[in-house]
Short mmCIF file of all heavy atoms in Angstrom, two decimals:
data_model
loop_
_atom_site.label_atom_id
_atom_site.label_comp_id
_atom_site.label_asym_id
_atom_site.label_seq_id
_atom_site.Cartn_x
_atom_site.Cartn_y
_atom_site.Cartn_z
N LEU A 31 98.34 63.16 97.44
CA LEU A 31 98.32 61.74 96.95
C LEU A 31 98.17 60.76 98.16
O LEU A 31 97.60 59.66 98.00
CB LEU A 31 99.52 61.43 96.16
CG LEU A 31 99.65 62.18 94.84
CD1 LEU A 31 100.96 61.82 94.21
CD2 LEU A 31 98.53 61.73 93.87
N ALA A 32 98.68 61.14 99.31
CA ALA A 32 98.67 60.23 100.47
C ALA A 32 97.38 60.32 101.26
O ALA A 32 97.14 59.35 102.04
CB ALA A 32 99.88 60.58 101.40
N THR A 33 96.59 61.36 101.18
CA THR A 33 95.35 61.48 101.91
C THR A 33 94.21 61.05 101.09
O THR A 33 94.25 61.14 99.89
CB THR A 33 95.19 62.90 102.46
OG1 THR A 33 95.19 63.76 101.30
CG2 THR A 33 96.32 63.31 103.37
N PRO A 34 93.13 60.56 101.75
CA PRO A 34 91.91 60.18 100.98
C PRO A 34 91.21 61.35 100.30
O PRO A 34 91.38 62.49 100.70
CB PRO A 34 90.97 59.53 102.02
CG PRO A 34 91.41 60.13 103.33
CD PRO A 34 92.91 60.42 103.15
N ALA A 35 90.48 61.06 99.25
CA ALA A 35 89.79 62.11 98.52
C ALA A 35 88.67 62.64 99.40
O ALA A 35 88.13 62.01 100.23
CB ALA A 35 89.23 61.57 97.19
N GLU A 36 88.38 63.96 99.10
CA GLU A 36 87.25 64.58 99.88
C GLU A 36 85.87 64.00 99.44
O GLU A 36 85.71 63.57 98.27
CB GLU A 36 87.28 66.09 99.56
CG GLU A 36 86.50 66.96 100.44
CD GLU A 36 86.89 66.89 101.93
OE1 GLU A 36 88.14 67.00 102.17
OE2 GLU A 36 86.09 66.71 102.78
N ASP A 37 84.93 64.05 100.27
CA ASP A 37 83.57 63.56 100.07
C ASP A 37 82.96 64.41 98.92
O ASP A 37 83.10 65.60 98.90
CB ASP A 37 82.80 63.67 101.32
CG ASP A 37 81.31 63.19 101.17
OD1 ASP A 37 81.15 62.14 100.46
OD2 ASP A 37 80.40 63.86 101.69
N ARG A 38 82.25 63.72 98.04
CA ARG A 38 81.65 64.36 96.88
C ARG A 38 80.62 65.45 97.31
O ARG A 38 80.54 66.51 96.66
CB ARG A 38 80.93 63.32 96.09
CG ARG A 38 80.83 63.25 94.64
CD ARG A 38 81.89 63.76 93.79
NE ARG A 38 82.63 62.68 93.20
CZ ARG A 38 83.11 62.72 92.03
NH1 ARG A 38 82.87 63.66 91.27
NH2 ARG A 38 83.83 61.70 91.58
N ALA A 39 79.87 65.23 98.35
CA ALA A 39 78.86 66.12 98.82
C ALA A 39 79.57 67.39 99.35
O ALA A 39 79.03 68.53 99.12
CB ALA A 39 77.96 65.52 99.88
N CYS A 40 80.67 67.23 100.01
CA CYS A 40 81.40 68.41 100.54
C CYS A 40 81.95 69.27 99.38
O CYS A 40 81.90 70.46 99.38
CB CYS A 40 82.54 67.91 101.46
SG CYS A 40 83.53 69.28 102.11
N LEU A 41 82.46 68.57 98.36
CA LEU A 41 82.96 69.30 97.20
C LEU A 41 81.85 70.02 96.47
O LEU A 41 82.08 71.13 95.98
CB LEU A 41 83.66 68.28 96.19
CG LEU A 41 84.96 67.70 96.59
CD1 LEU A 41 85.46 66.66 95.61
CD2 LEU A 41 86.03 68.79 96.77
N ARG A 42 80.68 69.38 96.36
CA ARG A 42 79.55 70.01 95.72
C ARG A 42 79.15 71.26 96.49
O ARG A 42 78.83 72.32 95.88
CB ARG A 42 78.38 68.98 95.67
CG ARG A 42 77.14 69.55 94.99
CD ARG A 42 77.42 69.75 93.52
NE ARG A 42 76.23 70.33 92.88
CZ ARG A 42 76.22 70.81 91.70
NH1 ARG A 42 77.25 70.82 90.96
NH2 ARG A 42 75.09 71.36 91.27
N ARG A 43 79.05 71.18 97.81
CA ARG A 43 78.71 72.37 98.60
C ARG A 43 79.74 73.50 98.42
O ARG A 43 79.41 74.67 98.23
CB ARG A 43 78.57 72.00 100.14
CG ARG A 43 77.38 71.26 100.42
CD ARG A 43 77.18 71.18 101.96
NE ARG A 43 78.36 70.66 102.68
CZ ARG A 43 78.58 69.35 102.86
NH1 ARG A 43 77.79 68.47 102.40
NH2 ARG A 43 79.63 68.97 103.51
N PHE A 44 81.00 73.14 98.43
CA PHE A 44 82.05 74.13 98.19
C PHE A 44 81.88 74.76 96.79
O PHE A 44 81.97 75.98 96.65
CB PHE A 44 83.37 73.49 98.30
CG PHE A 44 84.58 74.39 97.76
CD1 PHE A 44 84.99 75.45 98.52
CD2 PHE A 44 85.10 74.18 96.54
CE1 PHE A 44 85.96 76.28 98.03
CE2 PHE A 44 86.09 75.02 96.05
CZ PHE A 44 86.54 76.01 96.79
N TYR A 45 81.63 73.94 95.77
CA TYR A 45 81.57 74.41 94.41
C TYR A 45 80.36 75.38 94.28
O TYR A 45 80.45 76.42 93.69
CB TYR A 45 81.40 73.28 93.46
CG TYR A 45 81.24 73.76 91.99
CD1 TYR A 45 82.29 74.22 91.34
CD2 TYR A 45 80.00 73.92 91.49
CE1 TYR A 45 82.18 74.69 89.98
CE2 TYR A 45 79.76 74.41 90.09
CZ TYR A 45 80.86 74.78 89.49
OH TYR A 45 80.71 75.29 88.20
N GLU A 46 79.19 75.05 94.88
CA GLU A 46 78.06 75.88 94.76
C GLU A 46 78.22 77.22 95.49
O GLU A 46 77.72 78.20 95.05
CB GLU A 46 76.84 75.17 95.32
CG GLU A 46 76.37 74.02 94.48
CD GLU A 46 75.25 73.21 95.01
OE1 GLU A 46 74.91 73.44 96.23
OE2 GLU A 46 74.78 72.32 94.36
N ARG A 47 79.05 77.21 96.56
CA ARG A 47 79.24 78.40 97.28
C ARG A 47 80.34 79.36 96.70
O ARG A 47 80.12 80.50 96.55
CB ARG A 47 79.67 78.08 98.72
CG ARG A 47 79.72 79.29 99.60
CD ARG A 47 79.94 78.81 101.11
NE ARG A 47 79.96 80.00 101.91
CZ ARG A 47 80.09 79.97 103.14
NH1 ARG A 47 80.20 78.81 103.78
NH2 ARG A 47 80.08 81.06 103.88
N ALA A 48 81.41 78.68 96.24
CA ALA A 48 82.53 79.52 95.74
C ALA A 48 82.53 79.71 94.17
O ALA A 48 83.08 80.68 93.72
CB ALA A 48 83.88 78.82 96.11
N ARG A 49 81.95 78.75 93.45
CA ARG A 49 81.91 78.78 91.98
C ARG A 49 83.27 79.01 91.39
O ARG A 49 83.54 79.92 90.54
CB ARG A 49 80.89 79.87 91.50
CG ARG A 49 79.51 79.81 92.05
CD ARG A 49 78.75 78.61 91.59
NE ARG A 49 78.42 78.67 90.15
CZ ARG A 49 77.94 77.77 89.48
NH1 ARG A 49 77.67 76.59 90.00
NH2 ARG A 49 77.65 77.88 88.22
N PRO A 50 84.28 78.22 91.77
CA PRO A 50 85.61 78.40 91.26
C PRO A 50 85.74 78.03 89.79
O PRO A 50 85.05 77.05 89.37
CB PRO A 50 86.51 77.52 92.08
CG PRO A 50 85.55 76.40 92.54
CD PRO A 50 84.25 77.08 92.66
N PRO A 51 86.50 78.69 88.99
CA PRO A 51 86.72 78.26 87.62
C PRO A 51 87.70 77.11 87.54
O PRO A 51 88.40 76.89 88.55
CB PRO A 51 87.28 79.45 86.94
CG PRO A 51 87.99 80.22 88.06
CD PRO A 51 87.25 79.98 89.22
N GLY A 52 87.69 76.38 86.40
CA GLY A 52 88.70 75.32 86.36
C GLY A 52 88.11 74.00 85.88
O GLY A 52 87.10 73.96 85.17
N PHE A 53 88.67 72.91 86.35
CA PHE A 53 88.32 71.60 85.91
C PHE A 53 87.48 70.92 87.04
O PHE A 53 88.02 70.06 87.73
CB PHE A 53 89.60 70.81 85.60
CG PHE A 53 90.37 71.48 84.44
CD1 PHE A 53 91.37 72.36 84.74
CD2 PHE A 53 89.99 71.19 83.15
CE1 PHE A 53 92.05 72.95 83.71
CE2 PHE A 53 90.69 71.74 82.10
CZ PHE A 53 91.74 72.69 82.38
N TRP A 54 86.26 71.35 87.22
CA TRP A 54 85.33 70.80 88.21
C TRP A 54 84.24 69.93 87.57
O TRP A 54 83.22 69.75 88.14
CB TRP A 54 84.68 71.98 88.93
CG TRP A 54 85.63 72.67 89.88
CD1 TRP A 54 86.48 73.68 89.54
CD2 TRP A 54 85.86 72.37 91.21
NE1 TRP A 54 87.23 74.01 90.62
CE2 TRP A 54 86.83 73.20 91.72
CE3 TRP A 54 85.28 71.44 92.11
CZ2 TRP A 54 87.29 73.24 92.98
CZ3 TRP A 54 85.75 71.47 93.44
CH2 TRP A 54 86.71 72.33 93.87
N GLY A 55 84.56 69.32 86.44
CA GLY A 55 83.56 68.53 85.75
C GLY A 55 82.79 67.51 86.57
O GLY A 55 81.58 67.46 86.42
N PRO A 56 83.46 66.70 87.40
CA PRO A 56 82.61 65.67 88.15
C PRO A 56 81.74 66.40 89.20
O PRO A 56 80.75 65.73 89.64
CB PRO A 56 83.71 64.87 88.92
CG PRO A 56 84.97 65.13 88.16
CD PRO A 56 84.84 66.48 87.54
N VAL A 57 81.90 67.60 89.60
CA VAL A 57 81.14 68.29 90.59
C VAL A 57 80.15 69.25 89.98
O VAL A 57 79.03 69.47 90.44
CB VAL A 57 82.07 68.97 91.58
CG1 VAL A 57 81.28 69.72 92.65
CG2 VAL A 57 83.01 67.98 92.29
N SER A 58 80.55 69.87 88.90
CA SER A 58 79.76 70.93 88.25
C SER A 58 78.66 70.36 87.39
O SER A 58 78.74 69.31 86.81
CB SER A 58 80.67 71.81 87.42
OG SER A 58 79.91 72.68 86.61
N ASP A 59 77.54 71.15 87.27
CA ASP A 59 76.49 70.77 86.38
C ASP A 59 76.86 71.06 84.96
O ASP A 59 76.41 70.42 83.98
CB ASP A 59 75.19 71.57 86.72
CG ASP A 59 74.63 71.12 88.01
OD1 ASP A 59 74.85 69.95 88.43
OD2 ASP A 59 73.96 71.92 88.69
N GLU A 60 77.72 72.11 84.71
CA GLU A 60 78.07 72.55 83.34
C GLU A 60 79.58 72.62 83.31
O GLU A 60 80.23 73.68 83.48
CB GLU A 60 77.50 73.89 83.03
CG GLU A 60 76.00 73.97 83.12
CD GLU A 60 75.44 75.38 83.01
OE1 GLU A 60 76.25 76.30 82.74
OE2 GLU A 60 74.23 75.52 83.17
N PRO A 61 80.31 71.47 83.14
CA PRO A 61 81.79 71.45 83.16
C PRO A 61 82.45 72.34 82.12
O PRO A 61 83.50 72.94 82.32
CB PRO A 61 82.15 69.98 83.03
CG PRO A 61 80.95 69.33 82.44
CD PRO A 61 79.79 70.16 82.86
N GLY A 62 81.87 72.50 80.96
CA GLY A 62 82.42 73.35 79.90
C GLY A 62 82.49 74.80 80.30
O GLY A 62 83.37 75.50 79.98
N GLU A 63 81.50 75.25 81.06
CA GLU A 63 81.44 76.62 81.57
C GLU A 63 82.56 76.93 82.50
O GLU A 63 83.16 77.98 82.49
CB GLU A 63 80.07 76.95 82.16
CG GLU A 63 79.95 78.30 82.74
CD GLU A 63 80.12 79.43 81.78
OE1 GLU A 63 79.94 79.26 80.56
OE2 GLU A 63 80.55 80.56 82.19
N ASP A 64 82.91 75.94 83.34
CA ASP A 64 84.01 76.15 84.28
C ASP A 64 85.32 76.39 83.54
O ASP A 64 86.05 77.31 83.89
CB ASP A 64 84.23 74.91 85.16
CG ASP A 64 83.07 74.70 86.14
OD1 ASP A 64 82.42 75.74 86.48
OD2 ASP A 64 82.79 73.57 86.58
N ARG A 65 85.56 75.64 82.51
CA ARG A 65 86.82 75.83 81.77
C ARG A 65 86.81 77.16 81.01
O ARG A 65 87.79 77.83 80.90
CB ARG A 65 87.03 74.62 80.79
CG ARG A 65 87.47 73.42 81.49
CD ARG A 65 87.90 72.34 80.51
NE ARG A 65 87.74 71.07 81.18
CZ ARG A 65 86.77 70.19 81.03
NH1 ARG A 65 85.85 70.44 80.09
NH2 ARG A 65 86.69 69.14 81.72
N ALA A 66 85.63 77.54 80.47
CA ALA A 66 85.53 78.77 79.79
C ALA A 66 85.77 79.94 80.75
O ALA A 66 86.49 80.92 80.42
CB ALA A 66 84.11 78.96 79.15
N ARG A 67 85.25 79.83 82.02
CA ARG A 67 85.57 80.88 82.96
C ARG A 67 86.97 80.93 83.38
O ARG A 67 87.59 82.02 83.61
CB ARG A 67 84.65 80.68 84.24
CG ARG A 67 83.21 81.06 84.06
CD ARG A 67 82.40 81.15 85.26
NE ARG A 67 82.59 80.05 86.17
CZ ARG A 67 82.83 80.20 87.50
NH1 ARG A 67 82.86 81.39 88.07
NH2 ARG A 67 82.96 79.15 88.29
N LEU A 68 87.65 79.75 83.42
CA LEU A 68 89.07 79.73 83.74
C LEU A 68 89.88 80.40 82.61
O LEU A 68 90.71 81.27 82.96
CB LEU A 68 89.54 78.26 83.88
CG LEU A 68 91.02 78.10 84.09
CD1 LEU A 68 91.40 78.60 85.34
CD2 LEU A 68 91.42 76.59 83.95
N TRP A 69 89.55 80.13 81.35
CA TRP A 69 90.33 80.75 80.28
C TRP A 69 90.02 82.26 80.23
O TRP A 69 90.94 83.06 79.92
CB TRP A 69 90.00 80.06 78.95
CG TRP A 69 90.59 78.71 78.92
CD1 TRP A 69 89.96 77.49 78.86
CD2 TRP A 69 92.02 78.37 78.94
NE1 TRP A 69 90.88 76.43 78.89
CE2 TRP A 69 92.15 77.00 78.91
CE3 TRP A 69 93.18 79.19 79.00
CZ2 TRP A 69 93.40 76.33 78.96
CZ3 TRP A 69 94.45 78.49 79.02
CH2 TRP A 69 94.46 77.10 78.99
N ARG A 70 88.81 82.67 80.50
CA ARG A 70 88.49 84.18 80.51
C ARG A 70 89.29 84.72 81.69
O ARG A 70 89.84 85.86 81.52
CB ARG A 70 86.96 84.33 80.75
CG ARG A 70 86.22 84.31 79.46
CD ARG A 70 84.77 84.88 79.67
NE ARG A 70 84.03 84.30 80.82
CZ ARG A 70 83.15 83.31 80.75
NH1 ARG A 70 82.87 82.79 79.59
NH2 ARG A 70 82.55 82.91 81.78
N GLY A 71 89.36 84.12 82.82
CA GLY A 71 90.12 84.65 83.94
C GLY A 71 91.59 84.80 83.61
O GLY A 71 92.22 85.75 83.95
N LEU A 72 92.17 83.72 83.00
CA LEU A 72 93.59 83.77 82.70
C LEU A 72 93.86 84.83 81.60
O LEU A 72 94.91 85.57 81.68
CB LEU A 72 94.03 82.43 82.15
CG LEU A 72 94.08 81.28 83.19
CD1 LEU A 72 94.41 79.96 82.54
CD2 LEU A 72 95.06 81.64 84.28
N ALA A 73 92.97 84.99 80.60
CA ALA A 73 93.11 86.07 79.63
C ALA A 73 93.06 87.48 80.29
O ALA A 73 93.81 88.34 79.99
CB ALA A 73 92.07 85.97 78.56
N GLY A 74 92.18 87.59 81.31
CA GLY A 74 92.08 88.88 82.05
C GLY A 74 93.39 89.15 82.82
O GLY A 74 93.84 90.31 82.87
N VAL A 75 93.90 88.12 83.41
CA VAL A 75 95.20 88.31 84.22
C VAL A 75 96.31 88.70 83.27
O VAL A 75 97.09 89.59 83.54
CB VAL A 75 95.48 87.04 84.95
CG1 VAL A 75 96.92 87.08 85.50
CG2 VAL A 75 94.55 86.85 86.11
N ALA A 76 96.34 88.04 82.06
CA ALA A 76 97.36 88.36 81.12
C ALA A 76 97.26 89.81 80.60
O ALA A 76 98.22 90.52 80.52
CB ALA A 76 97.35 87.38 79.90
N ALA A 77 96.01 90.21 80.33
CA ALA A 77 95.76 91.60 79.83
C ALA A 77 96.14 92.63 80.95
O ALA A 77 96.73 93.64 80.68
CB ALA A 77 94.41 91.74 79.32
N ALA A 78 95.72 92.31 82.21
CA ALA A 78 96.10 93.17 83.29
C ALA A 78 97.57 93.26 83.55
O ALA A 78 98.10 94.34 83.88
CB ALA A 78 95.38 92.71 84.58
N SER A 79 98.29 92.16 83.27
CA SER A 79 99.76 92.15 83.40
C SER A 79 100.40 93.08 82.33
O SER A 79 101.32 93.79 82.62
CB SER A 79 100.25 90.70 83.29
OG SER A 79 99.77 89.95 84.33
N VAL A 80 99.85 93.04 81.09
CA VAL A 80 100.36 93.89 80.06
C VAL A 80 100.12 95.32 80.50
O VAL A 80 100.99 96.24 80.31
CB VAL A 80 99.70 93.59 78.72
CG1 VAL A 80 99.99 94.64 77.68
CG2 VAL A 80 100.12 92.17 78.23
N THR A 81 98.99 95.65 81.05
CA THR A 81 98.64 97.07 81.43
C THR A 81 99.62 97.46 82.58
O THR A 81 100.17 98.57 82.53
CB THR A 81 97.23 97.16 81.98
OG1 THR A 81 96.35 96.83 80.86
CG2 THR A 81 96.92 98.58 82.51
N THR A 82 99.81 96.57 83.58
CA THR A 82 100.68 96.95 84.63
C THR A 82 102.12 97.13 84.18
O THR A 82 102.79 98.09 84.55
CB THR A 82 100.63 95.81 85.71
OG1 THR A 82 99.28 95.67 86.13
CG2 THR A 82 101.48 96.15 86.92
N PHE A 83 102.66 96.20 83.40
CA PHE A 83 104.00 96.30 82.88
C PHE A 83 104.12 97.55 82.06
O PHE A 83 105.14 98.34 82.20
CB PHE A 83 104.37 95.08 82.06
CG PHE A 83 105.74 95.15 81.51
CD1 PHE A 83 106.85 94.81 82.24
CD2 PHE A 83 105.96 95.52 80.22
CE1 PHE A 83 108.13 94.89 81.77
CE2 PHE A 83 107.18 95.61 79.63
CZ PHE A 83 108.31 95.31 80.41
N GLY A 84 103.22 97.79 81.15
CA GLY A 84 103.33 98.98 80.25
C GLY A 84 103.33 100.27 81.06
O GLY A 84 104.15 101.12 80.82
N LEU A 85 102.46 100.33 82.04
CA LEU A 85 102.42 101.56 82.84
C LEU A 85 103.67 101.75 83.73
O LEU A 85 104.22 102.82 83.82
CB LEU A 85 101.12 101.65 83.69
CG LEU A 85 99.84 101.85 82.92
CD1 LEU A 85 98.66 101.80 83.88
CD2 LEU A 85 99.84 103.26 82.25
N LEU A 86 104.01 100.72 84.40
CA LEU A 86 105.19 100.80 85.26
C LEU A 86 106.50 101.13 84.55
O LEU A 86 107.22 102.05 84.84
CB LEU A 86 105.38 99.54 86.07
CG LEU A 86 104.44 99.29 87.23
CD1 LEU A 86 104.66 97.85 87.78
CD2 LEU A 86 104.64 100.30 88.30
#
Side-chain angles (χ1 to χ4, degrees):
L31 293 174
T33 57
E36 194 63 47
D37 178 42
R38 216 35 105 140
C40 180
L41 288 174
R42 181 70 183 168
R43 284 191 308 274
F44 168 77
Y45 178 81
E46 288 173 356
R47 187 170 183 181
R49 305 294 287 173
F53 300 93
W54 287 86
V57 178
S58 170
D59 291 332
E60 300 172 9
E63 176 60 27
D64 290 335
R65 286 190 203 103
R67 286 192 316 131
L68 175 65
W69 289 114
R70 277 194 308 264
L72 290 174
V75 167
S79 297
V80 168
T81 298
T82 303
F83 178 81
L85 288 175
L86 283 174

